[in-house]
Amino acid sequence: MSNNKIENTQLTLLMVEDTLSVATLYKTYLATLNLDIHIVSSGEAALKHLEQNTIDLMLLDLRLPDMTGMDVLNKVSIQAPKVPVIFMTAHGSIEVAVAAMRAGAHDFLIKPCEADQLRITVSKAIHQTQNIKHDILGEVNQYQGFIGSSPSMQKVYKTIDSAASSKASIFITGESGTGKEVCAEAIHSVSNRSTGPCIALNCAAIPKDLIESELFGHVKGAFTGAAIDRKGAAELADGGTLFLDELCEMDLDLQTKLLRFIQTGTYQKVGSSKLSRVDVRFVCATNKDPWQEVRKGRFREDLYYRLYVIPLHLPPLRERGDDIIEIAHSLLGFTSLEENKHFGKFQEQVLRHFVHYPWPGNVRQLQNVIRNIVVLNEGEEVTLDMLPAPLDCFRVDSYSEDAIDTFLDPEKSEDTNKIVPLAQVERRAIERAIELCGGSIPAAASELDVSASTLYRKLEKWEKGRG
């Protein structure tokens, strides 16, 4: 991802939010702004952090467990008067907003915050108070919808960024549920066509006798039921992006017409002899191997070469390492707010299940699992007994966390003779250190007395091993 313009101007944001899942969700919303984000869960922790560290911006929740957000705001206004504070509250009113602004708040947001609203508000605060170039705001809409920063996803972001200004066709491949439509929307949002339409057509979801009409449109009387002229996806996408999902499912006869459309930019509506011309960029996707479909005679080879210009492969969830945890927290926060529930965190054993489970349905399956848990259960923490099938029957590797703990501390169990491989003990120690350091790998490396590069190397090795 080309963030070279802002790498040297990274600013520090302190988020004061007592619900971890909500804080994690908002942190992912702000990921494209290249901010160093610290999260604390109480007013006292916020003031202590402010005494020991310099920050550039604060996101402050109104309701905190130990004091009100207004109390914190009043003290910040004295302690660090130049730090802009953005108030967040689910219990907002005009009176509260006015009081907060009079007390020194820079801006005011009502929770739950939309992603764009939060990013734009934070960007505006940065620009107005720090005199940062407009380049940062230009990154706001990039990769919207994506969560995670694993090496495999960084390659995806880099490809999207590199192909942004081109009209070259992009062919997205990946298993079902990996986010191919999200990827297509991200490509469109960072392209020169972002102000134009992005029209999606699922070639597998439309009957063969209707898909030509859906793609090219039809004129009145073209077939039974065609009572009026109708625009197709091609015409609707003029000046923008045409996303053809599950393209390999398209009928071979229509593939021929699609090839002609790609070559000439012209097409005919069903029932019309008139040629129409549009300007679109093609983004295609399939959950199959397109070349294998060519070899099996189900996908035209000439169409393959026309569209397979920039290949972009979306990795399955099982190959994305700790992105799984980040996505799970974001989904839990969003779903809990949507369903008016109080879930805010996961039991550690649940997260271990998430990381080790193969996720054949990928992100879509994880989303459904979180939805199932939130709808059918009550509480603040997701526990192991809440997991639906098939996760409830899934077992983590044979050297479980309990086995490692028993090996390291024999007094915890009568079974003191089981030896656990050193690699498993080392991995548990490293993961635990990172957890205790709030996810900071450099801090964990310092506490373990090893170099950060050593931990990054080991984490990358473990991540590849999951695939």
Side-chain angles (χ1 to χ4, degrees):
M1 202 182 311
S2 59
N3 284 334
N4 295 332
K5 296 178 182 179
I6 57 176
E7 283 178 348
N8 296 325
T9 58
Q10 188 179 51
L11 304 178
T12 301
L13 181 148
L14 179 63
M15 189 184 308
V16 190
E17 167 60 61
D18 65 332
T19 304
L20 177 60
S21 58
V22 174
T24 304
L25 179 66
Y26 291 165
K27 184 176 180 180
T28 61
Y29 286 170
L30 299 172
T32 55
L33 295 186
N34 193 39
L35 294 167
D36 180 17
I37 300 176
H38 298 266
I39 299 171
V40 295
S41 59
S42 68
E44 184 179 351
L47 296 174
K48 185 175 180 181
H49 184 95
L50 199 58
E51 288 177 359
Q52 300 174 349
N53 304 275
T54 300
I55 67 170
D56 299 293
L57 180 65
M58 177 182 287
L59 280 176
L60 177 61
D61 192 20
L62 174 65
R63 295 199 172 184
L64 297 169
D66 57 344
M67 63 180 75
T68 69
M70 288 296 292
D71 291 334
V72 177
L73 177 62
N74 291 331
K75 294 182 179 180
V76 171
S77 298
I78 298 172
Q79 197 170 330
K82 293 185 178 180
V83 172
V85 177
I86 298 174
F87 232 59
M88 302 187 300
T89 178
H91 311 277
S93 66
I94 297 299
E95 292 77 13
V96 176
V98 171
M101 299 296 280
R102 284 176 176 171
H106 179 84
D107 214 330
F108 191 87
L109 286 169
I110 304 297
K111 294 166 60 179
C113 303
E114 293 290 337
D116 285 344
Q117 182 187 24
L118 180 62
R119 285 192 290 247
I120 291 171
T121 301
V122 170
S123 294
K124 187 168 68 172
I126 290 171
H127 291 296
Q128 291 180 355
T129 59
Q130 298 292 331
N131 196 29
I132 300 299
K133 291 182 179 180
H134 191 70
D135 294 339
I136 296 179
L137 188 57
E139 299 290 333
V140 166
N141 291 318
Q142 291 194 18
Y143 316 116
Q144 183 178 356
F146 279 119
I147 298 172
S149 55
S150 61
S152 57
M153 287 306 294
Q154 290 292 343
K155 292 179 182 178
V156 172
Y157 303 153
K158 185 176 181 180
T159 301
I160 294 173
D161 196 50
S162 299
S165 60
S166 172
K167 192 185 175 183
S169 300
I170 297 180
F171 210 126
I172 307 167
T173 57
E175 297 177 7
S176 294
T178 50
K180 294 187 286 294
E181 186 167 357
V182 173
C183 186
E185 291 170 353
I187 292 167
H188 175 74
S189 70
V190 301
S191 73
N192 297 333
R193 297 167 174 263
S194 59
T195 56
C198 180
I199 305 299
L201 185 68
N202 190 319
C203 301
I206 303 169
K208 290 183 179 180
D209 56 342
L210 292 179
I211 191 168
E212 183 177 358
S213 172
E214 291 294 324
L215 178 58
F216 296 131
H218 64 253
V219 297
K220 181 180 179 180
F223 51 84
T224 303
I228 58 172
D229 289 358
R230 188 175 187 276
K231 294 181 180 180
E235 184 176 356
L236 293 171
D238 190 18
T241 302
L242 178 59
F243 174 48
L244 300 174
D245 198 6
E246 303 301 348
L247 180 63
C248 290
E249 302 296 326
M250 182 179 283
D251 184 73
L252 282 169
D253 290 339
L254 187 54
Q255 287 182 29
T256 302
K257 295 180 180 180
L258 176 61
L259 178 62
R260 189 182 308 118
F261 172 42
I262 295 170
Q263 290 172 330
T264 65
T266 62
Y267 64 93
Q268 290 177 300
K269 289 186 175 183
V270 177
S272 173
S273 59
K274 180 183 176 182
L275 282 178
S276 300
R277 180 179 294 276
V278 292
D279 173 27
V280 301
R281 183 192 194 174
F282 294 93
V283 177
C284 308
T286 180
N287 60 6
K288 299 180 178 179
D289 182 334
W291 181 244
Q292 288 301 317
E293 294 301 296
V294 170
R295 295 184 64 181
K296 293 174 182 177
R298 293 196 287 256
F299 192 60
R300 290 183 59 106
E301 185 173 357
D302 46 7
L303 183 58
Y304 170 86
Y305 286 120
R306 272 285 178 179
L307 292 173
Y308 203 79
V309 180
I310 300 176
L312 198 165
H313 180 70
L314 288 181
L317 187 58
R318 61 183 172 275
E319 294 179 5
R320 294 180 56 182
D322 287 342
D323 283 0
I324 297 170
I325 295 176
E326 194 171 351
I327 294 169
H329 275 112
S330 297
L331 290 173
L332 183 65
F334 177 81
T335 309
S336 292
L337 289 172
E338 193 173 61
E339 298 290 342
N340 197 27
K341 293 294 185 75
H342 303 289
F343 287 103
K345 58 183 178 179
F346 295 96
Q347 194 178 57
E348 189 174 345
Q349 294 95 315
V350 173
L351 293 178
R352 284 178 59 80
H353 263 63
F354 283 177
V355 170
H356 289 88
Y357 184 71
W359 297 108
N362 293 293
V363 177
R364 187 180 296 124
Q365 183 186 8
L366 176 58
Q367 186 175 20
N368 291 340
V369 166
I370 300 296
R371 175 76 63 180
N372 177 289
I373 291 169
V374 172
V375 170
L376 298 182
N377 297 276
E378 299 290 341
E380 296 183 356
E381 182 180 53
V382 176
T383 57
L384 212 54
D385 62 304
M386 295 179 184
L387 294 180
L391 272 80
D392 58 342
C393 299
F394 179 70
R395 295 291 176 266
V396 181
D397 57 67
S398 58
Y399 294 107
S400 66
E401 184 178 336
D402 290 340
I404 296 172
D405 288 343
T406 298
F407 173 63
L408 294 175
D409 189 358
E411 294 182 3
K412 288 186 175 181
S413 172
E414 295 178 1
D415 182 12
T416 61
N417 297 320
K418 186 174 182 180
I419 298 177
V420 177
L422 182 60
Q424 291 285 342
V425 177
E426 178 191 51
R427 178 169 180 168
R428 172 61 184 140
I430 291 173
E431 290 176 341
R432 181 61 176 155
I434 294 173
E435 178 187 336
L436 291 173
C437 291
S440 171
I441 294 174
S446 177
E447 293 292 334
L448 291 169
D449 199 23
V450 297
S451 67
S453 61
T454 297
L455 295 196
Y456 281 114
R457 189 168 59 251
K458 289 182 180 293
L459 290 169
E460 186 175 358
K461 177 183 176 182
W462 295 333
E463 181 181 336
K464 289 179 179 178
R466 288 193 184 112

